Amino acid sequence: MPLDINLTPLYRIQGREPGDMPGVLAMQPPKTAARGREQDRLLVYLLLAGNAAVTAGEYRKLAEDTANVFYQTPRAVTSALRAAADSLNRTLLDRNMSASARGQYALAWMTLAVLRESQCIFSLNGPMHVYWAGADGSRHYFEPSLSGKGLGASQSINIHYAQADLAPNDTLLFCGRVPNAWNTPLENARPAPLETTRRRLTSLTTEDLNAVLTHVTEGSGAINIFKGTNPAPQVEEAPEPAPTPEPASEPRPDLPAPIEPESTPGAHLLQPSAYSIPPQNEEPVSPPPSTTDPLAHLPHKTVPREFPASIPRAKPKTEADLTIEDGGLTNKVEAREESLQNAETQNASPQNVEAQHTSPVIAEPREPSPQAKQAAKTAISIMHAIRHGSAALNEKVRNFLPRLLPAAETTSLQPVSSSAFMGFMAVLIPLIVVTVSVVVYMRYGRNEQYDVYYNQAEQLKTQALSLTNPVEQRRAWENVLANLNEAEKHNVTSDTLALREEAQTNLDSLLAILRMQFNPAFSANPNIEVSRMAATENDLYLLNAATGEVMRAFPSGSGGFELDTTFDCRPGSNNSAGQLVDILTLPITNIYGATVLGIDSVGNLVYCKPGSPPQTGLLPTPDTNWNHITSMVLDGGNLYVLDAPARAVWVYPGKEAAFVDRPYFFFGQQTPTQDVIDFLVSGDEMYLLHADGRVSRCIFSRIDTSASKCEDPLSRINPIPAYADMDLFAGVNFTQILFAAPPDPSILLLDAGNQNLMRFAARTLELQNQFQPTTSRNPIPSGTAAAVAVSPDHVLYLAVDGQIFFASNMP
């Protein structure tokens, strides 16, 4: 949907609010625009600061020259924006260097906004602010570290690129210095009519103002300028140069230098499509006396202006009453269309000259230039060539189509009629047009989007490298990755991959993340619903939650694993055990010779080893009987059994994995809650993981068992500086707790939702680092990790989506 751009200046100097504001230019693309610029509407907002006086003509010419460079630069829009800013920077830099002996300088703060249908891409030079307000909220674009201090100070330039998707009724505010009274209203802004927003902002403060307010509406793509409080839009062409200059007023260093209206003929390089804001009101000055031609001082070689069809304009008037206000005096000049001979007999005051420019003048037909004649001949030649080519193609198609059928049938075919051929072409031509359009968009449109996000990522990288605060560094690198994500939606290049690797490496270093390269254990996904895993140096055991049986995998020659189809560790296979709820590996020295032990919910034990049928045992029933066993741990030869619904852990003294003695109760007066989902034991210390992710610690007293006590919860400590402004543990979902591979006494907690394994120091539960899969060449699909295990030889196993993934050499 084409959008109309309605803009109004918010301009106030020393309590006055002139309707005309220098440095603002709104343009439709000219007919001579370079390739890639044909659909770009441009808004230029130029704010000059310093102690050098700048006239209105100079102000206007700087803006127009900048726009001219933009429309003459082809291909990517960011390249055109940079070329325009660089051109203005060179102009001001040369001017400042030539005036350095007098101590005068001028710096430019500039916002360039490019609108292409509903998309707005803008570049900011200097500490410029952009506020966007739409139906989905509001946003403040302000990055002084990226946009720099302005143009004209050095040969290098800083640019902050940004982008916004516009919808009808959205509002954009461009501002150099934001009054304090505007901060809160703009941060919480919502769409409102243009005049309503204007009145509200101007009434909030009495300070000097220099801003441009833009409102987007449905329309035909026109640009409407509202001046002052006039409710009617003024859609204008670029103003004609003023005939005489006015002395410059005293400059103010804290605001753009006061403007003196002045211009010269030929300054409007883009007049056919420019909508510039005229200079401030001028005092009438009598023209120099002339006895020959009173109109000799007017611009020469002017041509009628041409407007794009989408821009509304007023109908020509044959008689106009023009009112010119100057200091409260109003002079009505009656402008009639008369012959040039009568006009020469009048005294041409500036008012009369302006009236004559406003009234339409019918120009005499001119002889076409040689270039125009040559262009017409070329166009006619092309048209003839197309006609001859179409006729030749018609004849060839007529002769070719009958040959598609067998010879016996061609005798009855008639030549293809012109109507049939035209119907064929009516289908073919739209297909060609659509194909070319798609190719052009994929070649240029997507590349422009890519350039915007990639350049922004490069700027944020530069900012991140210059920062020293870890929190700010983290945010900057996160923004780099976010912009790369958007850029790679349009194109993935070696540049984005290299920048992504650099950003991810720096971010991981800040967050203490260690990346592990995982590989799939099985060549094909076995689709096993794994609930628990246990690993030795040679074997990996999987507990199938669907069947309650234990499965064995062993290393294969291809670098992965292979399932042992002969391994038998099933409940109910010549035993009375039910579905197993937990498993653990056993030491080699046990009376059963088993490698893995399983337990069901009522205390039946299943001992399994390769090549042999399972053996069973039964734990002695505790005094309070079993409610539902959920987990078990082997430590120091003793078996610890968790009955979470009964809030109990029973300890079975063992010898060579035989547990025949009656158990004792681990807790004293204080018992854990019923939401314990996993636990581990180290000597007399027990760590319990609860369903809400908290960890509690209980200490067993051998002197007086009733004196055993628990600390619930055990505080988790995050000492990593980059997390100073956020709670890392607020969004985690811990589902399993285990010890790291010996001799490391650290505790590992699995954040299943993020596939993240966190390592904590024992007792203090202070975060040390995090283990996550690599971001590139990562075979693990997104999803929740079902189980984790670590082998004694530092191999990390992770179960996701029915497949097992492993990473060697875990630190």
Side-chain angles (χ1 to χ4, degrees):
M1 172 70 68
L3 299 175
D4 283 355
I5 307 301
N6 305 308
L7 62 90
T8 180
L10 305 180
Y11 191 39
R12 180 189 295 158
I13 295 182
Q14 298 178 353
R16 297 185 300 107
E17 296 187 9
D20 299 329
M21 176 177 169
V24 178
L25 188 68
M27 300 189 64
Q28 296 281 0
K31 293 182 178 180
T32 58
R35 187 174 64 180
R37 306 281 76 78
E38 301 92 340
Q39 304 298 324
D40 293 344
R41 291 179 286 171
L42 178 66
L43 300 182
V44 181
Y45 172 38
L46 180 62
L47 183 62
L48 295 180
N51 57 7
V54 182
T55 66
E58 292 172 329
Y59 229 129
R60 182 167 52 250
K61 189 174 188 306
L62 289 174
E64 290 179 347
D65 288 349
T66 301
N68 193 27
V69 172
F70 172 82
Y71 278 114
Q72 291 177 356
T73 305
R75 304 185 71 85
V77 65
T78 52
S79 301
L81 291 171
R82 175 171 287 275
D86 188 61
S87 172
L88 178 60
N89 182 68
R90 292 196 304 269
T91 300
L92 291 178
L93 185 61
D94 293 343
R95 173 181 176 141
N96 290 339
M97 293 181 66
S98 62
S100 60
R102 301 190 301 272
Q104 296 181 350
Y105 70 95
L107 299 180
W109 300 359
M110 182 173 68
T111 297
L112 297 178
V114 180
L115 296 102
R116 183 178 298 173
E117 293 188 356
S118 63
Q119 186 181 64
C120 180
I121 301 172
F122 41 85
S123 64
L124 308 178
N125 302 101
M128 283 293 215
H129 299 257
V130 177
Y131 290 88
W132 166 82
D136 297 331
S138 60
R139 183 173 178 182
H140 181 197
Y141 299 90
F142 179 62
E143 292 289 347
S145 58
L146 298 180
S147 56
K149 297 181 179 180
L151 302 175
S154 65
Q155 293 183 350
S156 61
I157 61 175
N158 294 342
I159 303 180
H160 175 208
Y161 295 106
Q163 178 174 318
D165 292 326
L166 301 181
N169 297 322
D170 283 4
T171 300
L172 282 172
L173 177 71
F174 306 103
C175 187
R177 295 182 177 90
V178 182
N180 294 331
W182 284 8
N183 289 329
T184 301
L186 290 177
E187 292 293 343
N188 304 314
R190 289 295 181 267
L194 182 66
E195 185 61 23
T196 301
T197 306
R198 172 188 171 83
R199 286 198 306 268
R200 183 187 181 196
L201 292 178
T202 54
S203 63
L204 285 174
T205 179
T206 57
E207 300 179 32
D208 289 352
L209 302 179
N210 194 306
V212 176
L213 180 63
T214 304
H215 187 257
V216 180
T217 58
E218 294 183 5
S220 58
I223 300 178
N224 304 316
I225 302 175
F226 293 78
K227 297 181 179 179
T229 59
N230 184 6
Q234 301 184 19
V235 182
E236 304 177 357
E237 58 183 286
E240 292 291 341
T244 56
E246 182 183 40
S249 57
E250 191 67 23
R252 289 181 56 188
D254 60 329
L255 284 175
I259 305 303
E260 175 185 357
E262 175 182 293
S263 66
T264 58
H268 303 286
L269 302 179
L270 299 170
Q271 290 179 356
S273 59
Y275 288 84
S276 63
I277 305 301
Q280 302 175 16
N281 294 336
E282 306 169 0
E283 296 182 1
V285 180
S286 300
S290 174
T291 59
T292 58
D293 185 3
L295 303 179
H297 65 284
L298 294 179
H300 294 282
K301 297 182 182 180
T302 58
V303 297
R305 303 180 186 272
E306 298 178 359
F307 288 82
S310 62
I311 303 177
R313 51 188 175 137
K315 296 181 179 180
K317 300 179 181 179
T318 60
E319 180 174 300
D321 289 335
L322 302 180
T323 302
I324 301 177
E325 295 185 4
D326 185 11
L329 299 179
T330 303
N331 297 325
K332 284 196 173 182
V333 180
E334 196 173 288
R336 299 182 179 275
E337 186 177 6
E338 299 178 356
S339 63
L340 184 60
Q341 293 78 5
N342 294 336
E344 292 178 352
T345 61
Q346 301 175 0
N347 292 327
S349 67
Q351 291 87 344
N352 296 126
V353 172
E354 184 176 354
Q356 292 171 10
H357 275 261
T358 305
S359 300
V361 178
I362 301 177
E364 292 293 331
R366 297 184 304 164
E367 181 70 18
S369 64
Q371 294 82 356
K373 292 180 179 180
Q374 183 61 36
K377 292 180 181 179
T378 303
I380 294 174
S381 300
I382 293 175
M383 293 174 63
H384 282 299
I386 293 175
R387 289 180 180 177
H388 289 304
S390 176
L393 180 61
N394 186 5
E395 185 64 27
K396 290 180 180 180
V397 171
R398 288 181 179 181
N399 296 333
F400 174 73
L401 288 181
R403 299 175 185 175
L404 297 178
L405 298 177
E409 300 179 11
T410 58
T411 56
S412 61
L413 293 176
Q414 298 296 326
V416 179
S417 65
S418 297
S419 60
F421 174 73
M422 294 304 293
F424 171 74
M425 295 301 293
V427 175
L428 179 61
I429 291 176
L431 291 177
I432 296 175
V433 171
V434 171
T435 303
V436 171
S437 300
V438 171
V439 170
V440 170
Y441 171 74
M442 297 297 291
R443 178 71 181 274
Y444 300 108
R446 292 175 64 88
N447 286 342
E448 288 188 4
Q449 296 295 313
Y450 165 86
D451 288 341
V452 170
Y453 290 112
Y454 179 76
N455 291 336
Q456 184 76 353
E458 282 284 0
Q459 294 179 12
L460 290 168
K461 167 198 165 182
T462 303
Q463 177 188 9
L465 293 174
S466 64
L467 297 173
T468 57
N469 184 292
V471 173
E472 295 178 351
Q473 289 177 321
R474 187 203 80 221
R475 293 174 179 170
W477 289 118
E478 288 174 345
N479 288 333
V480 171
L481 292 174
N483 279 274
L484 287 176
N485 291 338
E486 294 297 325
E488 290 183 342
K489 290 180 181 178
H490 305 283
N491 194 10
V492 178
T493 65
S494 58
D495 293 333
T496 61
L497 295 177
L499 182 55
R500 176 179 293 279
E501 183 177 359
E502 180 182 1
Q504 193 66 63
T505 300
N506 285 279
L507 183 60
D508 291 345
S509 176
L510 287 170
L511 303 182
I513 295 177
L514 303 179
R515 297 288 175 180
M516 305 288 292
Q517 180 58 60
F518 283 86
N519 297 294
F522 306 106
S523 57
N525 191 338
N527 291 318
I528 304 172
E529 189 179 343
V530 179
S531 61
R532 290 285 182 174
M533 292 191 295
T536 66
E537 293 182 354
N538 300 317
D539 298 333
L540 174 64
Y541 296 96
L542 314 173
L543 178 57
N544 190 332
T547 61
E549 67 174 314
V550 182
M551 309 176 72
R552 173 178 176 262
F554 59 92
S556 64
S558 60
F561 284 78
E562 183 180 344
L563 285 174
D564 184 358
T565 57
T566 64
F567 184 72
D568 184 10
C569 192
R570 294 173 296 170
S573 176
N574 299 322
N575 59 69
S576 59
Q579 283 197 350
L580 304 181
V581 296
D582 200 5
I583 59 174
L584 54 81
T585 57
L586 290 173
I588 299 177
T589 57
N590 63 82
I591 60 176
Y592 299 96
T595 57
V596 63
L597 172 66
I599 189 173
D600 68 4
S601 60
V602 293
N604 288 304
L605 301 177
V606 179
Y607 298 85
C608 304
K609 65 178 180 179
S612 299
Q615 303 179 59
T616 60
L618 180 63
L619 290 175
T621 304
D623 295 338
T624 58
N625 212 335
W626 296 113
N627 191 320
H628 189 280
I629 296 175
T630 55
S631 185
M632 64 176 176
V633 170
L634 186 65
D635 181 72
N638 297 333
L639 186 66
Y640 296 77
V641 181
L642 171 65
D643 187 351
R647 302 171 59 183
V649 172
W650 297 97
V651 185
Y652 288 86
K655 184 177 181 182
E656 297 182 350
F659 310 102
V660 296
D661 296 333
R662 294 187 62 80
Y664 62 86
F665 193 61
F666 183 87
F667 305 106
Q669 300 296 327
Q670 187 178 2
T671 58
T673 56
Q674 293 179 322
D675 62 345
V676 176
I677 57 175
D678 199 9
F679 77 120
L680 53 82
V681 177
S682 176
D684 293 332
E685 291 185 333
M686 178 181 296
Y687 298 87
L688 301 106
L689 175 63
H690 299 260
D692 60 0
R694 76 182 193 278
V695 177
S696 58
R697 182 181 64 179
C698 299
I699 301 177
F700 179 74
S701 175
R702 296 187 178 274
I703 300 175
D704 183 5
T705 57
S706 62
S708 300
K709 59 181 181 179
C710 296
E711 182 180 358
D712 184 11
L714 183 62
S715 298
R716 294 168 298 199
I717 303 173
N718 182 3
I720 301 174
Y723 285 117
D725 66 330
M726 61 180 294
D727 183 5
L728 172 63
F729 306 122
V732 301
N733 177 29
F734 292 132
T735 57
Q736 193 173 341
I737 186 171
L738 65 161
F739 280 120
D744 186 359
S746 301
I747 294 175
L748 303 176
L749 285 170
L750 174 63
D751 177 14
N754 297 313
Q755 298 180 5
N756 183 22
L757 190 65
M758 297 186 183
R759 175 157 59 186
F760 294 85
R763 298 186 179 179
T764 61
L765 218 61
E766 181 178 295
L767 179 65
Q768 297 177 333
N769 47 39
Q770 308 174 73
F771 299 96
Q772 294 183 9
T774 55
T775 55
S776 60
R777 303 186 303 277
N778 177 26
I780 304 180
S782 59
T784 302
V788 65
V790 180
S791 69
D793 57 343
H794 298 265
V795 178
L796 176 61
Y797 298 92
L798 204 62
V800 180
D801 194 27
Q803 174 69 287
I804 310 301
F805 301 89
F806 69 97
S808 304
N809 302 320
M810 178 181 178

